[in-house]
Amino acid sequence: MKRILISGLLLMVFGSLFPQDGLLSKEDAVNLALENNFGIKVAKNEMMIADNNQSLLNSGYLPSLTGSAGANYNELNSTTGYPGQFDADGQARPDLEINHAESQSYSAGLNVDYTIFDGLGRFYNYKRLKEQYALSELQARETIENTLLQLFSVYFEVARLSENENVLQQALEISTDRIKRAEYSFEYGQNTKLDILNAQVDVTNDSINLLNTRQQLVNTKRDLNVVLNQSLDAVYEVDTLVHFIPKLQLEELVNQAKENNVAILQTRRNMAINDYDIKVNKSGYLPTVGLNGSYGWNLNQSAASSFIPGQVIPGSNRNSLNFGLGASLTWNLFDGGGTAVRVKNAKIAYANQELLQKQVTLEVDRDIANALAIYENRLTIFEIQEQNVVTNQNNFERSKEQFQLGRITSIEFRQAQINLLNAQTNKNLAKYDAKLAELQLLQLTGQLLNVAL
């Protein structure tokens, strides 16, 4: 396919489609989706259909050539009687018999028809098919953009759960260590059995949370494998590093959104298609001029026959060639008003497409404004959550020191641990929410397939 997914192919990385080191990077994921995703495959096939439709073979500009051939065979056996008839000698006239009188005929011919002028109908229809192909390219691009958003929503969920798994694993290790310390302290009489029981409860809760997160992670990886159309049991890790586009670059992309947004571009293509529909229908007012030609060969072979007693008419062969050339002009001066109605309806459809373009443009402006506000808000929340993790990490370290010195209770220490755990998981959630908001904004600006992810 010549121009398929022009921008999308820029994301593809040459080499193995699946990582060999167990890490499924973002580029690897995009690569696999472009190659294997069912929706993208269907979009590619639709583009192939549109490409076939826009070819010269479907334009009506080429002549039509038909060939014909035929053969006939005939064998005649007959007896003709002449009752009551006599010859000059007074003898009864004998019967006339014809036996195995064979005759054959053969023919072959070529006919060509070519339309010189049809009111420019095929010219505008050919232009319309070109626009239809361009529209199918945009539809394929839209499919890819939606698929990539779906891909990254699942990919980032896998990344988030992977990071949460590590956080919960650390929390479980801390709680397990608490049990050991509580048991040692109990043996030396420094605390009560209650501290051991509290630590065991916390270990149980942390274990359950870790198991649930691991199950969610396994399920989400299966969801990702479905998007990538690969084995549901594929084992890999994902990239948890996230980079955000600089603010100045993002503002520039937003300013160019109307020139690149796929929905707006589709409305423009549809308007061009509707404009050609008007011109195609107007061609019905004009005459059609055509040429036609024919070339034929005929051979007739007849057997010898006898219709008069004693006289034989010999057989004959007739071989002929013929060539014909003609021109025609057809002008439908009045077709009952059908052409006029079609032209009027095409103009109304064009007017509706103009209204739709204005509506889509307004909606895109709204969606971009909303998406930009959501992105900036989520990015701010992520920055706050990052600082919150630092604060809670410091608080946890101080609480750990105080707990080991026996200056705070296990309940106070557990609360500091939970605060840190919540801060870390909230930061993970905020990070990927902000990145997804950025990707949604990039899609609206028409640049999702043109920037590094």
Side-chain angles (χ1 to χ4, degrees), residues 19 67 71 88 97 105 140 144 179 204 224 235 252 300 317 357 365 371 395 427:
E97 293 185 359
S105 65
I144 288 182
I179 292 181
T204 300
L224 182 57
V235 178
E252 182 180 355
N300 293 291
N317 292 335
Q357 184 183 37
D365 288 341
N395 178 65
K427 184 205 74 171

Side-chain angles (χ1 to χ4, degrees), residues 229-259:
N229 185 20
Q230 63 179 0
S231 172
L232 296 179
D233 298 324
V235 178
Y236 50 84
E237 301 297 328
V238 298
D239 185 4
T240 58
L241 295 177
V242 169
H243 303 283
F244 295 97
I245 297 177
K247 184 176 181 180
L248 291 177
Q249 181 182 354
L250 192 61
E251 289 177 351
E252 182 180 355
L253 297 179
V254 170
N255 293 333
Q256 299 172 354
K258 289 185 179 180
E259 300 301 321

Side-chain angles (χ1 to χ4, degrees), residues 186-200:
F186 179 73
E187 290 177 0
Y188 289 100
Q190 295 179 355
N191 59 16
T192 65
K193 186 71 172 179
L194 181 61
D195 289 331
I196 299 177
L197 295 175
N198 286 335
Q200 290 175 341

Side-chain angles (χ1 to χ4, degrees), residues 167-238:
V167 170
L168 291 170
Q169 181 65 46
Q170 293 173 6
L172 178 59
E173 291 172 357
I174 293 172
S175 297
T176 303
D177 184 64
R178 272 182 54 208
I179 292 181
K180 295 178 181 179
R181 290 181 176 274
E183 289 175 345
Y184 290 150
S185 298
F186 179 73
E187 290 177 0
Y188 289 100
Q190 295 179 355
N191 59 16
T192 65
K193 186 71 172 179
L194 181 61
D195 289 331
I196 299 177
L197 295 175
N198 286 335
Q200 290 175 341
V201 169
D202 292 339
V203 167
T204 300
N205 290 333
D206 290 344
S207 299
I208 292 173
N209 291 335
L210 180 59
L211 287 173
N212 287 334
T213 299
R214 283 176 174 171
Q215 183 60 57
Q216 293 175 15
L217 178 59
V218 170
N219 292 345
T220 308
K221 282 187 176 181
R222 291 196 185 100
D223 293 337
L224 182 57
N225 288 331
V226 170
V227 177
L228 300 178
N229 185 20
Q230 63 179 0
S231 172
L232 296 179
D233 298 324
V235 178
Y236 50 84
E237 301 297 328
V238 298

Side-chain angles (χ1 to χ4, degrees), residues 1-10 43-44 47-48 50-51 54 127 129-138 140-141 144 269 449:
M1 229 169 296
K2 298 177 182 177
R3 298 185 295 163
I4 185 167
L5 318 175
I6 303 167
S7 300
L9 291 178
L10 298 176
K44 290 180 180 179
M47 280 195 62
M48 291 176 65
D51 192 23
Q54 69 151 357
K127 294 286 188 180
L129 292 174
K130 292 289 186 182
E131 290 294 336
Q132 191 67 48
Y133 175 73
L135 178 62
S136 70
E137 280 190 319
L138 292 173
R141 173 186 149 189
I144 288 182
R269 293 298 182 185
L449 305 179

Side-chain angles (χ1 to χ4, degrees), residues 86-150:
F86 303 92
D87 57 17
D89 298 330
Q91 301 293 323
R93 185 175 179 180
D95 295 340
L96 176 63
E97 293 185 359
I98 301 176
N99 296 315
H100 304 294
E102 298 178 349
S103 63
Q104 300 90 23
S105 65
Y106 305 94
S107 64
L110 291 175
N111 292 279
V112 60
D113 290 286
Y114 182 65
T115 301
I116 299 177
F117 179 76
D118 66 344
L120 297 178
R122 64 182 173 181
F123 172 77
Y124 291 121
N125 187 61
Y126 185 56
K127 294 286 188 180
R128 183 186 185 281
L129 292 174
K130 292 289 186 182
E131 290 294 336
Q132 191 67 48
Y133 175 73
L135 178 62
S136 70
E137 280 190 319
L138 292 173
Q139 292 169 341
R141 173 186 149 189
E142 183 179 27
T143 298
I144 288 182
E145 290 179 351
N146 291 334
T147 301
L148 290 186
L149 279 181
Q150 179 191 11

